Amino acid sequence: MTKTLKNSLVFTSILISSCASYVPTIDLGYFRYWKEGFAGNKIIVDDQYINSMDYSFIKIKKGRSEAIFVLSTVDENGYESWVGLDSRIVTFNGLILSTSGLDTDFNFEEFTSNEWKMNFSDGKKYSGNISLSNPELYRTNATFKYISSQVTKGCDALHTLSRNYEDIGFNSSDTYCFSRGVIKSSRQRLSPFSKTLEIDFYYKY
């Protein structure tokens, strides 16, 4: 495992110390962005937009639709819960652990963050169980394999991982962009019947 990869996958302690007790009261005005966003509006996130937001947030692109979710909580494991209107996404270092209210409800069963961080070097794999609502699957095996890392414009480390659900023959490719050890963006497709989720992360701390 490269030093860059280790650094990029470990920023949890910094985030927990600044956000662990972070439970904002959300202005209902933001809900309009979530509802209208997934109806197909394009949301421009520039410096003025970022400065106007009181909370950490993510912009999610799903096909032609976009939406803003706000950071609600960060638990002791560094799992971040982002909330929208009737929707929720939980992530860890950019990896989606669960969703509700999207194309498919997704849950990474008994995810182990330490194993995820330790197992990623060239060709190494992480296997766990996932559940989906579309198609309906319960605790099917999911394997993630580290493919490559590279430095690109805007990414100190851009990691590419393959995703495989052997029981249904599903394969896709995830990317995770880190800048200064903090997740900046990711692209993940959770099921054969869902669109790729492109997520940009904006932390306010």
Side-chain angles (χ1 to χ4, degrees):
M1 183 185 296
T2 64
K3 183 177 181 181
T4 302
L5 180 58
K6 290 180 180 178
N7 290 339
S8 65
L9 292 178
V10 184
F11 75 102
T12 304
S13 61
I14 298 173
L15 189 59
I16 293 175
S17 63
S18 61
C19 300
S21 59
Y22 180 64
V23 184
T25 300
I26 300 172
D27 187 332
L28 291 178
Y30 293 149
F31 287 133
R32 285 193 287 272
Y33 284 107
W34 302 331
K35 184 176 181 180
E36 294 173 4
F38 279 132
N41 292 342
K42 184 175 180 60
I43 301 172
I44 304 298
V45 178
D46 53 16
D47 288 342
Q48 181 178 358
Y49 186 97
I50 294 171
N51 292 334
S52 71
M53 294 289 280
D54 293 327
Y55 315 117
S56 296
F57 66 96
I58 55 177
K59 184 178 86 166
I60 306 172
K61 183 177 180 181
K62 183 183 65 174
R64 296 182 178 180
S65 300
E66 298 183 356
I68 297 292
F69 282 39
V70 172
L71 182 63
S72 173
T73 58
V74 181
D75 72 11
E76 65 276 10
N77 297 308
Y79 302 167
E80 303 163 348
S81 182
W82 310 87
V83 294
L85 180 61
D86 297 325
S87 303
R88 180 180 296 270
I89 294 178
V90 177
T91 65
F92 174 75
N93 279 345
L95 173 71
I96 296 174
L97 302 183
S98 67
T99 68
S100 61
L102 301 181
D103 292 339
T104 181
D105 290 342
F106 171 90
N107 193 46
F108 210 139
E109 309 285 350
E110 301 173 359
F111 173 78
T112 306
S113 59
N114 288 336
E115 292 182 12
W116 172 264
K117 289 185 292 187
M118 291 169 57
N119 283 350
F120 282 106
S121 57
D122 291 345
K124 291 295 182 69
K125 299 178 180 179
Y126 177 95
S127 293
N129 293 319
I130 60 100
S131 295
L132 294 169
S133 64
N134 184 28
E136 189 171 344
L137 295 172
Y138 178 67
R139 299 185 65 86
T140 193
N141 181 259
T143 300
F144 296 79
K145 183 179 179 180
Y146 173 74
I147 302 299
S148 65
S149 296
Q150 57 182 313
V151 177
T152 65
K153 184 178 180 180
C155 300
D156 297 339
L158 179 65
H159 307 306
T160 301
L161 287 72
S162 65
R163 176 189 295 253
N164 173 260
Y165 307 159
E166 185 176 2
D167 290 346
I168 58 173
F170 174 68
N171 294 280
S172 66
S173 179
D174 295 351
T175 59
Y176 302 84
C177 168
F178 288 84
S179 179
R180 299 181 180 180
V182 177
I183 186 68
K184 184 177 180 181
S185 64
S186 70
R187 290 173 53 91
Q188 301 166 71
R189 188 177 174 208
L190 303 180
S191 88
F193 301 145
S194 65
K195 297 179 179 178
T196 297
L197 295 178
E198 301 178 33
I199 306 177
D200 295 324
F201 294 79
Y202 299 91
Y203 290 102
K204 306 276 287 189
Y205 51 70

